[in-house]
Amino acid sequence: MTASAIDNIRNFSIVAHIDHGKSTLADRLIQLTGTLAEREMVEQVLDSMDIERERGITIKAQTVRLNYRARDGKDYVLNLIDTPGHVDFAYEVNRSLAAVEGSLLVVDASQGVEAQTLANVYHAIDAGHEIVPVLNKVDLPAAEPEQVKKQIEDVIGIDASNALMISAKTGLGVPDVLEAIVTRLPPPKGDRHATLKALLVDSWYDAYLGVVVLVRIVDGTLKKGQRIRMMGTSASYDVDRVGVFRPKLTPVDELGPGEIGYLTAAIKEVADTRVGDTITDDRKPVDEMLPGFKPAIPVVFCGLFPVDAAAFEDLRAAMGRLRLNDASFSFEMETSAALGFGFRCGFLGLLHLEIIQERLEREFNLELIATAPSVIYKMNLRDGSQIEIHNPVDMPDPMKILEIQEPWIEATILTPDDYLGSVLKLCQDRRGVQVELTYVGTRAMAKYNLPLNEVVFDFYDRLKSVSKGYASFDYHLTDYKEADLVKMSILVNEEPVDALSMLVHRSRAEQRGRAMVEKLKELIPPHMFQVPIQAAIGGKIIARETVRAMRKDVTAKCYGGDVTRKRKLLDKQKKGKKKMRQYGKVDIPQEAFIAALKVDV
């Protein structure tokens, strides 16, 4: 690439709410520029994981390089990064936005601006991007492009008068998108003759190549054979190959300023390639590192245990391999009296938890039990120290605790007016504090402060059901606040089941405990003896249900005769049941664990 060709590069990402058509638009752009042959085209070509295709969501941001001849006859190189829309993968969005100069803001013309449209476009504005609004699905009968343009201007505050009208599915208007990328987005800046300075955008493990590193070159050039240094970890490597994504890995001779591509250097550990690090020349490194990104901080924790204890080592190996491709997933070993050996895992949200669990079960053929999701609580002890706890089992003696603090979030909820009452009631029930309520066209936008503890269980599912699927939701952590929390234990046959213990607000403990024992009563199968199920706070039982015993008819062989004979047999059976209850083991099916955690209170 010649020195002047930096003016002919455009780096951009596509940001939007879930299901507004990012991946479909990416497919059309790839098709129009002839990057893939027709026989290679599939729907959602950049969503490479089976789980992404099945759920129809993007989990990993993907990159592709497109060659485009514009209407003015010039040849351009377009580097596209397709980003996820879900709040749990916001870290993927942030990383992608730092590597590019512009964004296409895709908004569904029939649905309008949603909560994550807002969140993602604000990330792009923070990154200093030029933003091109694109209204997708204008061919639908329910599309209201003029109203949605007004929404974009009112809610986001960017000019939408020259928004592009397209249908990514049919291809209508997509050539105009390519022209807009070339004419309305700025070219990257960079000095080809300066020392190499590149941003490490992402890294993943490949069984054949070792660690593959996605880089954005800021200054200088990157060539095969060059010795590079990761400034954050001070690790040095010799580059084996450099290349670009079309979307398959395609080797090139060198990458210059403004270009996005990959490098491999026989790196064994993904830990050496920290996302957001600066890559430079090992012999003459640059003085200052690039700003990088904040590391992804886990928000939700839960225990994952193998159903078969013998599969523990397989689970350890599987998690190690999964961690190679998802740096935001963290885990440490833990043991449980009820479930044996397993791992305490940290996730960025409930969808992230679900995806990781599904990938472990699918890709590694593991059967897993997940414990109740919990968040990080800060505990100030009477001796002046502060500890962090994300497993209720580790909670110290209440007498030692001065105060417990729980994390709070600010949630933005957009909902049609008809469901506003139900949505506000849901937030109030979850201890929410209303911050503001405004209107966006025919829809209400409510901002609430909520305790994260109340959101991680089933808030998203409940929100979707009370709004018939129309409400959208986005949140970010704000701070920690003092709370009156207590540890609620569940006892089955007078034995505590630590997988079901949880920290709850005192005002909701009885309600949550009652719902939990009622649910478990339905789920635990009858045994030969009575099984009591209790919810307790310390030594105080707050709710109880009993699973009735199965009864064998021991008097069936008595034909007539004296009643005392029947009585004798029944008493003998009663004694036997009492003894069984003392020594008998209660089997709690795996479904019971999962269903009990989804209690609806």
Side-chain angles (χ1 to χ4, degrees):
M1 193 174 259
T2 60
S4 62
I6 190 166
D7 294 336
N8 292 0
I9 299 174
R10 296 290 184 273
N11 298 324
F12 68 100
S13 65
I14 304 177
V15 294
H17 186 76
I18 314 149
D19 277 346
H20 279 205
K22 294 182 295 297
S23 298
T24 312
L25 176 57
D27 288 354
R28 292 295 83 75
L29 296 177
I30 289 167
Q31 213 171 0
L32 270 176
T33 53
T35 305
L36 282 178
E38 277 301 319
R39 63 190 169 78
E40 294 176 294
M41 277 305 292
V42 288
E43 273 192 41
Q44 266 92 33
V45 70
L46 294 179
D47 290 347
S48 50
M49 284 191 263
D50 292 344
I51 200 163
E52 289 182 311
R53 292 178 175 285
E54 275 172 36
R55 286 175 174 247
I57 57 172
T58 302
I59 294 166
K60 288 289 286 177
Q62 299 288 352
T63 311
V64 62
R65 176 172 171 143
L66 315 170
N67 288 77
Y68 172 61
R69 173 158 286 185
R71 289 169 189 164
D72 61 5
K74 284 187 194 165
D75 287 326
Y76 289 89
V77 170
L78 313 179
N79 290 308
L80 151 68
I81 300 185
D82 179 26
T83 61
H86 202 281
V87 62
D88 283 16
F89 305 113
Y91 70 100
E92 289 278 346
V93 179
N94 286 339
R95 293 197 316 218
S96 311
L97 297 180
V100 297
E101 286 79 33
S103 291
L104 298 181
L105 170 65
V106 177
V107 181
D108 183 329
S110 61
Q111 307 243 323
V113 174
E114 300 272 12
Q116 267 136 335
T117 314
L118 279 176
N120 290 337
V121 78
Y122 287 149
H123 287 317
I125 291 167
D126 289 346
H129 280 197
E130 187 64 42
I131 293 167
V132 175
V134 177
L135 301 190
N136 190 18
K137 308 188 188 182
V138 293
D139 56 332
L140 293 182
E144 297 174 323
E146 290 310 314
Q147 211 170 329
V148 174
K149 274 187 192 180
K150 190 172 183 315
Q151 262 186 30
I152 292 173
E153 290 181 353
D154 292 350
V155 182
I156 302 171
I158 55 175
D159 179 24
S161 55
N162 55 358
L164 302 166
M165 307 281 187
I166 67 157
S167 165
K169 198 165 189 178
T170 62
L172 169 78
V174 179
D176 297 338
V177 175
L178 285 165
E179 276 302 306
I181 291 165
V182 167
T183 54
R184 287 160 66 175
L185 295 184
K189 296 181 176 72
D191 180 358
R192 190 178 183 79
H193 305 292
T195 304
L196 171 67
K197 185 194 255 187
L199 176 67
L200 198 159
V201 182
D202 199 0
S203 60
W204 60 92
Y205 191 79
D206 182 286
Y208 302 104
L209 303 170
V211 178
V212 180
V213 178
L214 174 64
V215 291
R216 155 70 203 265
I217 312 293
V218 178
D219 287 322
T221 54
L222 180 68
K223 299 185 183 72
K224 184 180 170 180
Q226 191 172 352
R227 190 159 181 81
I228 56 164
R229 182 191 299 177
M230 315 281 174
M231 292 181 76
T233 53
S234 299
S236 297
Y237 296 99
D238 290 317
V239 177
D240 286 343
R241 66 179 77 194
V242 293
V244 294
F245 299 90
R246 294 179 183 274
K248 296 185 181 68
L249 303 183
T250 312
V252 295
D253 296 332
E254 66 168 42
L255 290 173
E259 292 193 85
I260 295 172
Y262 71 89
L263 70 89
T264 65
I267 305 169
K268 304 281 188 298
E269 284 291 318
V270 174
D272 290 349
T273 54
R274 283 215 305 260
V275 168
D277 203 347
T278 303
I279 298 174
T280 187
D281 194 300
D282 190 45
R283 290 180 185 83
K284 46 172 188 176
V286 290
D287 301 330
E288 270 183 39
M289 287 176 66
L290 293 161
F293 326 106
K294 281 186 261 182
I297 298 162
V299 175
V300 176
F301 289 82
C302 92
L304 289 179
F305 295 84
V307 172
D308 174 9
F312 173 72
E313 284 304 325
D314 297 342
L315 177 60
R316 186 203 294 270
M319 284 189 164
R321 286 182 62 185
L322 205 55
R323 174 85 213 270
L324 292 176
N325 289 349
D326 188 348
S328 57
F329 165 55
S330 60
F331 62 90
E332 59 186 42
M333 204 178 126
E334 76 166 357
T335 56
S336 151
L339 302 171
F341 287 102
F343 292 92
R344 191 85 195 153
C345 308
F347 307 92
L348 299 171
L350 279 188
L351 180 72
H352 190 211
L353 183 160
E354 224 176 287
I355 297 289
I356 294 278
Q357 191 179 346
E358 203 167 319
R359 284 184 70 187
L360 285 167
E361 287 173 350
R362 259 194 208 190
E363 295 171 24
F364 304 98
N365 295 323
L366 293 164
E367 280 190 77
L368 301 173
I369 294 175
T371 64
S374 69
V375 298
I376 297 181
Y377 299 96
K378 290 181 177 173
M379 304 208 173
N380 294 325
L381 305 182
R382 294 191 184 277
D383 62 6
S385 59
Q386 187 184 60
I387 55 170
E388 286 190 350
I389 279 184
H390 44 71
N391 186 350
V393 178
D394 300 334
M395 187 169 162
D397 179 352
M399 297 305 292
K400 293 180 181 174
I401 301 170
L402 188 63
E403 66 167 14
I404 304 176
Q405 295 180 333
E406 63 175 345
W408 279 65
I409 60 167
E410 183 175 272
T412 305
I413 300 167
L414 280 156
T415 175
D417 212 7
D418 306 356
Y419 310 111
L420 181 61
S422 312
V423 170
L424 296 184
K425 184 179 182 306
L426 173 67
C427 293
Q428 298 292 353
D429 290 349
R430 297 300 170 97
R431 298 193 281 132
V433 179
Q434 190 173 325
V435 180
E436 65 175 278
L437 180 62
T438 50
Y439 276 84
V440 181
T442 56
R443 290 184 312 159
M445 182 167 87
K447 283 198 176 179
Y448 261 87
N449 285 336
L450 286 155
L452 184 60
N453 170 356
E454 300 284 349
V455 174
V456 295
F457 272 93
D458 58 350
F459 183 83
Y460 195 63
D461 296 346
R462 298 281 306 124
L463 180 69
K464 286 291 178 198
S465 64
V466 300
S467 67
K468 297 196 170 50
Y470 284 107
S472 60
F473 168 66
D474 179 70
Y475 68 87
H476 62 269
L477 278 171
T478 50
D479 58 355
Y480 276 77
K481 292 180 187 172
E482 189 184 343
D484 185 11
L485 298 172
V486 288
K487 178 183 166 185
M488 185 176 78
S489 309
I490 300 291
L491 293 91
V492 175
N493 200 18
E494 295 172 5
E495 287 286 315
V497 182
D498 53 3
L500 294 176
S501 63
M502 61 179 78
L503 282 171
V504 289
H505 196 265
R506 196 183 294 276
S507 63
R508 289 171 59 84
E510 195 176 324
Q511 189 187 2
R512 180 66 66 82
R514 186 158 289 139
M516 197 81 134
V517 294
E518 282 170 8
K519 192 88 167 183
L520 281 169
K521 183 188 175 185
E522 293 166 25
L523 297 162
I524 293 177
H527 287 59
M528 291 303 290
F529 50 92
Q530 268 192 4
V531 179
I533 305 163
Q534 298 160 310
I537 295 171
K540 184 185 174 193
I541 304 296
I542 56 168
R544 171 184 169 132
E545 290 287 340
T546 307
V547 179
R548 292 177 65 97
M550 284 194 285
R551 182 174 168 203
K552 182 183 174 190
D553 190 358
V554 288
T555 59
K557 58 180 182 282
C558 298
Y559 293 102
D562 189 1
V563 72
T564 55
R565 189 162 169 234
K566 290 184 180 179
R567 188 78 267 149
K568 195 173 161 189
L569 285 168
L570 289 167
D571 286 345
K572 192 175 172 188
Q573 182 188 38
K574 198 171 175 185
K575 261 188 201 162
K577 286 193 174 183
K578 193 174 175 186
K579 194 172 174 187
M580 276 179 87
R581 186 175 155 206
Q582 213 170 336
Y583 302 110
K585 188 172 182 299
V586 179
D587 288 318
I588 305 176
Q590 188 192 346
E591 302 79 62
F593 276 106
I594 294 158
L597 301 175
K598 290 188 172 170
V599 287
D600 197 7
V601 288

Coordinates of all heavy atoms in Angstrom, one line a residue, residues 98-126:
A98 N -12.8 1.5 19.8 CA -11.6 2.2 20.0 C -10.7 2.0 18.7 O -9.7 2.7 18.5 CB -10.9 1.6 21.2
A99 N -11.0 1.0 17.9 CA -10.1 0.6 16.8 C -10.5 1.3 15.5 O -9.8 1.2 14.5 CB -10.1 -0.9 16.6
V100 N -11.7 2.0 15.5 CA -12.2 2.6 14.2 C -12.5 4.1 14.4 O -12.5 4.6 15.6 CB -13.4 1.8 13.8 CG1 -13.1 0.4 13.4 CG2 -14.6 1.9 14.8
E101 N -12.8 4.8 13.3 CA -13.0 6.2 13.4 C -14.5 6.6 13.2 O -14.9 7.7 13.5 CB -12.3 6.9 12.2 CG -10.8 7.1 12.5 CD -10.1 5.8 12.1 OE1 -10.5 5.0 11.2 OE2 -9.1 5.5 12.8
G102 N -15.3 5.7 12.7 CA -16.7 6.0 12.4 C -17.6 4.8 12.7 O -17.2 3.7 12.9
S103 N -18.9 5.1 12.8 CA -19.9 4.1 13.1 C -21.2 4.3 12.2 O -21.6 5.4 12.0 CB -20.4 4.2 14.6 OG -19.3 3.8 15.4
L104 N -21.7 3.1 11.8 CA -23.0 3.2 11.2 C -24.0 2.9 12.3 O -23.9 1.8 13.0 CB -23.2 2.1 10.1 CG -22.3 2.1 8.9 CD1 -22.6 1.0 8.0 CD2 -22.4 3.5 8.2
L105 N -24.9 3.8 12.6 CA -25.9 3.5 13.6 C -27.2 3.0 13.0 O -27.9 3.7 12.3 CB -26.3 4.9 14.3 CG -27.5 4.8 15.3 CD1 -27.2 3.9 16.5 CD2 -27.8 6.2 15.8
V106 N -27.4 1.7 13.2 CA -28.5 1.0 12.5 C -29.7 1.0 13.5 O -29.6 0.6 14.6 CB -28.2 -0.4 12.2 CG1 -29.4 -1.2 11.6 CG2 -27.0 -0.4 11.2
V107 N -30.9 1.6 13.0 CA -32.1 1.6 13.8 C -33.2 1.0 13.0 O -33.4 1.2 11.8 CB -32.5 3.1 14.2 CG1 -33.7 3.1 15.0 CG2 -31.3 3.8 14.9
D108 N -33.9 0.1 13.6 CA -35.1 -0.6 13.0 C -36.2 0.4 12.8 O -36.7 1.0 13.7 CB -35.5 -1.7 13.9 CG -36.7 -2.6 13.4 OD1 -37.5 -2.0 12.6 OD2 -36.7 -3.8 13.7
A109 N -36.6 0.6 11.5 CA -37.6 1.7 11.2 C -39.0 1.3 11.8 O -39.8 2.2 11.9 CB -37.7 1.9 9.7
S110 N -39.2 0.1 12.1 CA -40.5 -0.3 12.7 C -40.5 -0.2 14.2 O -41.5 -0.1 14.9 CB -41.0 -1.7 12.2 OG -40.0 -2.6 12.7
Q111 N -39.3 -0.4 14.8 CA -39.2 -0.4 16.3 C -38.7 0.9 16.9 O -39.0 1.2 18.1 CB -38.3 -1.5 16.7 CG -38.6 -2.9 16.2 CD -38.9 -3.9 17.2 OE1 -38.4 -3.9 18.3 NE2 -39.9 -4.7 16.9
G112 N -37.9 1.6 16.2 CA -37.4 2.9 16.7 C -36.2 2.7 17.6 O -35.6 1.6 17.7
V113 N -35.9 3.8 18.3 CA -34.7 3.8 19.2 C -35.0 2.9 20.4 O -36.1 3.1 21.1 CB -34.4 5.2 19.6 CG1 -33.3 5.3 20.7 CG2 -34.0 6.1 18.4
E114 N -34.1 2.0 20.7 CA -34.3 1.1 21.9 C -33.2 1.4 22.9 O -32.2 2.2 22.6 CB -34.2 -0.4 21.5 CG -35.2 -0.8 20.4 CD -36.5 -1.3 21.1 OE1 -36.7 -1.1 22.3 OE2 -37.4 -1.8 20.3
A115 N -33.3 0.8 24.1 CA -32.3 1.1 25.2 C -30.9 0.8 24.8 O -30.0 1.6 25.1 CB -32.7 0.2 26.4
Q116 N -30.6 -0.3 24.1 CA -29.2 -0.5 23.7 C -28.7 0.3 22.5 O -27.5 0.4 22.3 CB -29.0 -2.0 23.6 CG -28.5 -2.5 24.9 CD -29.1 -3.8 25.3 OE1 -30.2 -4.1 24.9 NE2 -28.5 -4.6 26.1
T117 N -29.7 0.8 21.7 CA -29.3 1.7 20.7 C -28.6 2.9 21.4 O -27.6 3.4 21.0 CB -30.6 2.2 19.9 OG1 -31.4 1.2 19.6 CG2 -30.2 3.0 18.7
L118 N -29.3 3.4 22.4 CA -28.8 4.5 23.2 C -27.4 4.2 23.7 O -26.5 5.0 23.6 CB -29.7 4.9 24.3 CG -31.0 5.7 24.0 CD1 -31.8 5.8 25.3 CD2 -30.6 7.1 23.5
A119 N -27.3 3.1 24.5 CA -26.1 2.8 25.2 C -24.9 2.7 24.2 O -23.8 3.2 24.4 CB -26.2 1.4 25.9
N120 N -25.1 2.0 23.0 CA -24.0 1.8 22.1 C -23.7 3.0 21.3 O -22.5 3.3 21.1 CB -24.4 0.6 21.1 CG -24.4 -0.7 21.8 OD1 -23.8 -0.9 22.8 ND2 -25.2 -1.7 21.2
V121 N -24.7 3.9 21.0 CA -24.3 5.1 20.3 C -23.6 6.1 21.2 O -22.7 6.8 20.8 CB -25.6 5.8 19.7 CG1 -26.4 6.5 20.6 CG2 -25.1 6.7 18.5
Y122 N -23.9 6.0 22.5 CA -23.1 6.9 23.5 C -21.7 6.4 23.6 O -20.8 7.2 23.7 CB -23.8 6.9 24.8 CG -25.1 7.7 24.8 CD1 -26.1 7.4 25.7 CD2 -25.2 8.8 24.0 CE1 -27.3 8.2 25.7 CE2 -26.4 9.6 24.0 CZ -27.5 9.2 24.8 OH -28.6 10.0 24.8
H123 N -21.5 5.1 23.5 CA -20.1 4.6 23.5 C -19.4 5.2 22.3 O -18.2 5.6 22.3 CB -20.1 3.1 23.4 CG -20.5 2.4 24.7 ND1 -20.0 2.8 25.9 CD2 -21.3 1.3 24.9 CE1 -20.6 2.0 26.8 NE2 -21.3 1.1 26.3
A124 N -20.1 5.2 21.1 CA -19.4 5.6 19.9 C -19.1 7.1 20.0 O -18.1 7.6 19.5 CB -20.3 5.3 18.7
I125 N -20.1 7.9 20.5 CA -19.9 9.4 20.7 C -18.7 9.6 21.6 O -17.8 10.5 21.3 CB -21.2 10.1 21.2 CG1 -22.2 10.0 20.1 CG2 -20.9 11.5 21.6 CD1 -23.6 10.4 20.6
D126 N -18.6 8.8 22.7 CA -17.5 9.0 23.7 C -16.1 8.7 23.0 O -15.1 9.2 23.3 CB -17.6 8.0 24.8 CG -18.7 8.4 25.8 OD1 -19.2 9.6 25.6 OD2 -19.2 7.6 26.6

